[in-house]
């Protein structure tokens, strides 16, 4: 994996500022990061596995310096990203979303089906049509206590509780390994928006089954270690494949919900292989 700094640009979409970087040429890949913090996809965006593509990494509104004027719904986030695609004059993109970013990617495909050429959903958050029975236990054990800590003014405690529950005890080590200590500290700061705004947005997000006319190729990626500690990721994958019967499923070994940071090259290989089989411009 290469290292090096990105050139971060800003774009005004729907009255809101978002940030993005891009590199390379070829079919465009739009990387839609998970919640909590924005830099989940920094290593993937830099990975040589994606050198054949135009890689567009966004920092969604609410993260970093991108302070929105009001509450943002999943639909709002999706609208920002379709607005960015329009600014970049993209007629079609491969959309890659992780966790709550997978919900946003899904919403983009519903709202602008002609824009989304293929859809990769990485460990979708268990909300809306992806809600499953195992999420109740997660909410009781980790999400609720994390939100309680945030409400009490303990941002560090909220971050630690949520990340340990969703991503395991080594979450801090993994973040610092990939994003260094400053990246970890930034992640904690950015999580304020997540707890204040994005968690409620995810819990309120709904799509009826009749609103899911997604016919594009779909890849669902799951961290293989998740099935060793609970049923959540497997149940979400099973629901997703019921909603999207055309979907392919792949498990990335030795990873969990943190797979974009744990093994970005394995993730990049899986995404690149899928996208190459569905090039933009190919006949349906």
């Amino acid at each position: 994996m290469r290292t090096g700094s990105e050139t971060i640009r800003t774009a005004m979409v729907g009255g809101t500022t978002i940030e993005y970087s891009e590199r390379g040429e070829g079919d465009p890949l739009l990387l839609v990061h998970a919640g909590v913090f924005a830099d989940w996809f920094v290593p993937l965006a830099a990975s040589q596995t994606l050198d054949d593509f135009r890689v567009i990494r966004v920092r969604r509104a609410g993260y970093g310096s991108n302070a929105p004027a009001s509450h943002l719904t999943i639909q709002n986030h999706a609208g920002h990203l379709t607005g960015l695609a329009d600014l970049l004059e993209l007629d079609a993109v491969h959309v890659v979303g992780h966790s709550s970013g997978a919900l946003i990617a899904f919403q983009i495909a519903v709202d602008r089906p002609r824009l989304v050429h293929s859809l990769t959903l990485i460990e979708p958050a268990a909300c809306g049509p992806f809600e499953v029975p195992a999420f109740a236990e997660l909410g009781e054990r980790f999400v609720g206590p994390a939100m309680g800590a945030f409400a009490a003014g303990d941002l560090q405690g909220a971050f630690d509780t949520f990340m340990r529950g969703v991503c395991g005890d080594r979450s801090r080590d993994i973040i610092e390994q990939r994003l260094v200590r400053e990246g970890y500290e930034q992640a904690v700061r950015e999580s304020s928006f997540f707890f204040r705004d994005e968690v409620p947005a995810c819990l309120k997000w709904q799509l009826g089954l009749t609103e899911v006319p997604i016919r594009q190729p779909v890849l669902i990626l799951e961290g293989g270690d998740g099935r060793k500690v609970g049923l959540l990721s497997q149940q979400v994958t099973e629901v997703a494949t019921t909603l999207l019967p055309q979907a392919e499923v792949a498990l990335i070994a030795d990873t969990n919900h943190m797979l974009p940071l744990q093994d970005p090259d394995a993730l990049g290989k899986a995404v690149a292989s899928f996208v190459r089989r569905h090039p933009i411009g190919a006949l349906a």
Side-chain angles (χ1 to χ4, degrees):
M1 178 183 304
R2 68 168 60 81
T3 58
S5 60
E6 296 174 296
T7 298
I8 302 296
R9 300 177 172 90
T10 61
M12 179 65 71
V13 288
T16 300
T17 300
I18 65 171
E19 298 174 342
Y20 70 98
S21 67
E22 60 176 320
R23 73 169 182 91
E25 298 178 353
D27 278 9
L29 305 181
L30 180 64
L31 306 183
V32 187
H33 66 81
V36 188
F37 56 95
D39 286 349
W40 287 98
F41 279 141
V42 167
L44 176 64
S47 174
Q48 293 178 348
T49 62
L50 299 184
D51 280 354
D52 293 340
F53 305 100
R54 181 180 177 184
V55 181
I56 302 163
R57 185 180 80 86
V58 299
R59 291 175 55 84
R60 295 191 276 107
Y63 292 92
S65 60
N66 308 321
S70 59
H71 170 67
L72 298 177
T73 65
I74 296 300
Q75 290 86 348
N76 291 148
H77 285 289
H80 297 162
L81 299 183
T82 58
L84 176 63
D86 292 340
L87 283 175
L88 296 178
E89 299 182 337
L90 301 175
D91 295 323
V93 296
H94 301 279
V95 183
V96 179
H98 172 219
S99 192
S100 59
L103 309 186
I104 296 166
F106 195 84
Q107 185 70 55
I108 295 170
V110 170
D111 293 344
R112 292 277 298 272
R114 293 186 179 181
L115 175 65
V116 178
H117 187 76
S118 77
L119 192 61
T120 297
L121 306 177
I122 305 165
E123 292 260 328
C127 298
F130 301 112
E131 186 173 353
V132 294
F135 180 70
E137 179 185 1
L138 180 71
E140 181 177 340
R141 293 177 58 196
F142 301 111
V143 179
M147 294 298 287
F150 177 72
D154 181 8
L155 181 60
Q156 183 72 60
F159 182 92
D160 290 343
T161 298
F162 186 87
M163 292 299 292
R164 281 199 305 270
V166 175
C167 299
D169 292 337
R170 293 195 61 249
S171 59
R172 177 170 182 165
D173 293 340
I174 293 167
I175 294 171
E176 291 190 350
Q177 176 188 357
R178 294 294 185 186
L179 304 178
V180 304
R181 178 63 179 271
E182 290 80 4
Y184 171 80
E185 293 171 349
Q186 177 174 305
V188 175
R189 291 193 300 270
E190 290 182 350
S191 70
S192 178
F193 172 79
F194 172 72
F195 293 115
R196 181 180 68 254
D197 200 90
E198 192 158 315
V199 169
C202 289
L203 294 177
K204 293 176 183 176
W205 181 66
Q206 292 293 330
L207 282 175
L209 294 179
T210 58
E211 299 177 80
V212 190
I214 292 178
R215 299 181 178 86
Q216 299 94 327
V218 178
L219 174 65
I220 299 169
L221 292 172
E222 183 185 337
D225 282 354
R227 298 190 178 194
K228 298 177 182 178
V229 296
L231 296 174
L232 182 65
S233 61
Q234 182 175 350
Q235 287 184 359
V236 170
T237 295
E238 290 170 351
V239 167
T241 54
T242 299
L243 286 170
L244 305 163
Q246 78 273 33
E248 304 174 26
V249 176
L251 273 62
I252 307 295
D254 303 318
T255 66
N256 58 22
H257 199 69
M258 294 195 81
L259 74 89
L261 293 178
Q262 289 170 307
D263 200 339
D265 286 341
L267 175 57
K269 289 177 182 176
V271 171
S273 175
F274 172 70
V275 167
R276 286 192 185 104
R277 288 187 282 110
H278 303 285
I280 292 174
L283 296 176

